[in-house]
Amino acid sequence: LSFIRRILRTVCHLDTHLFGCSAAAQVKTSRETKGQFLSVNMAFSVGVMSAMYLTKGITGAHLNPAVSLSFCVLGQVQWGRLVPYCLSQLLGAYVASALVYLVYYDAIMDFSGGDLTVYGPNETASIFATYPSEYMTLGRSFLDQVVGTGMLMLCILCLGEKRNTPAPAELIPPIVAVIVLGISMSMSGNCGAAINPARDLGPRLFTLTAGWGTEVFTCYDYWFWVPLVAPPIGGVMGTFMYLIFIEWHLPDPDQPDNDSALSISETIKQPEHSNFLYRVASL
């Protein structure tokens, strides 16, 4: 049973990347005649939704090491599961990239002329992993990933909060998909909106072994560590923002609302004209 669950976790992440990287390959190799930038954003979002529906009831649909780490910090996931989750997510992303490469092999070779590179108009490395725009510095790139992942955690933590406005359990996957779509549509211009260490490292490792070479790690001043380190930091920061500014201010359903009880009692004791003035002042 434990082995099957590990396989399902791998399949879960494979599903996400198979959609997204396939869309990236289709758009890139067709020179945007068979899709545009938005197509890639939407495909990754559909992959997130389908992966959550596929395994949410079995593994909790852990797709992102940064999210898994944040839930460990919250005490909702055991720390002992963090490493197995992350390894499964990484393996799923690697296998998905290999499948995309096999499916789009002819298109990739025709587009690149057989020269697998990271730079230039015919580069194909960005089909799989994320890379920064040439104008970005490492510091700004780091901030970009921290903010994007922080927004992800800030938005998804409220979905199951019964003291606020919880989402129906069966609708959480499409809602999360829309959140991912919103982030990728608004925050992917700088660095590709990885917001997920496994989503970036798994495909990057595949390109290393498939012919792109070590340049996938050395390019852009060794930029590869940014989507590996910044998302976990951003996820934890987003989690604490949610706790400090939202969760700790929500009412406790097990305790009566003392303010409401006091207002009612004061209203009963006051004369009718004072009662009217009190209601007006309350408005």
Side-chain angles (χ1 to χ4, degrees), residues 28 108 111-112 114-128 131 207 211-213 215-216:
K28 169 72 77 172
I108 291 173
F111 176 83
S112 64
D115 186 16
L116 303 179
T117 62
V118 177
Y119 297 102
N122 294 328
E123 65 82 16
T124 48
S126 62
I127 289 174
F128 302 95
Y131 295 88
T207 53
W212 278 264
E215 195 173 37
V216 299

Side-chain angles (χ1 to χ4, degrees), residues 64-265:
N64 186 337
V67 175
S68 298
L69 173 63
S70 297
F71 279 114
C72 287
V73 171
L74 287 171
Q76 297 183 16
V77 173
Q78 298 176 5
W79 283 98
R81 296 184 179 182
L82 180 60
V83 172
Y85 278 172
C86 293
L87 292 177
S88 297
Q89 293 155 4
L90 183 64
L91 178 60
Y94 184 96
V95 174
S97 299
L99 288 174
V100 172
Y101 180 71
L102 292 175
V103 170
Y104 279 96
Y105 177 82
D106 294 330
I108 291 173
M109 292 302 167
D110 179 72
F111 176 83
S112 64
D115 186 16
L116 303 179
T117 62
V118 177
Y119 297 102
N122 294 328
E123 65 82 16
T124 48
S126 62
I127 289 174
F128 302 95
T130 62
Y131 295 88
S133 298
E134 293 183 359
Y135 55 80
M136 292 296 294
T137 64
L138 286 177
R140 299 282 184 176
S141 299
F142 194 90
L143 177 63
D144 176 271
Q145 292 298 292
V146 168
V147 172
T149 315
M151 288 302 300
L152 175 66
M153 286 306 304
L154 189 62
C155 291
I156 67 175
L157 284 174
C158 64
L159 297 180
E161 181 54 72
K162 295 181 180 180
R163 296 175 296 168
N164 202 347
T165 51
E170 63 274 12
L171 293 181
I172 288 181
I175 294 174
V176 173
V178 171
I179 293 171
V180 172
L181 177 61
I183 293 173
S184 60
M185 288 178 63
S186 60
M187 301 183 188
S188 58
N190 288 334
C191 308
I195 62 173
N196 183 338
R199 175 264 175 277
D200 189 84
L201 182 59
R204 197 177 299 276
L205 288 172
F206 170 76
T207 53
L208 172 68
T209 58
W212 278 264
T214 57
E215 195 173 37
V216 299
F217 282 95
T218 61
C219 65
Y220 298 103
D221 295 327
Y222 294 88
W223 184 84
F224 79 93
W225 66 269
V226 174
L228 191 62
V229 176
I233 294 176
V236 173
M237 290 180 63
T239 299
F240 280 111
M241 285 180 61
Y242 176 79
L243 290 175
I244 295 171
F245 295 108
I246 304 297
E247 182 171 312
W248 294 349
H249 300 279
L250 293 174
D252 189 343
D254 296 330
Q255 295 180 356
D257 190 339
N258 294 329
D259 292 339
S260 298
L262 179 60
S263 299
I264 294 173
S265 63

Side-chain angles (χ1 to χ4, degrees), residues 20-31:
C21 292
S22 292
Q26 179 173 296
V27 172
K28 169 72 77 172
T29 58
S30 70
R31 302 185 189 276

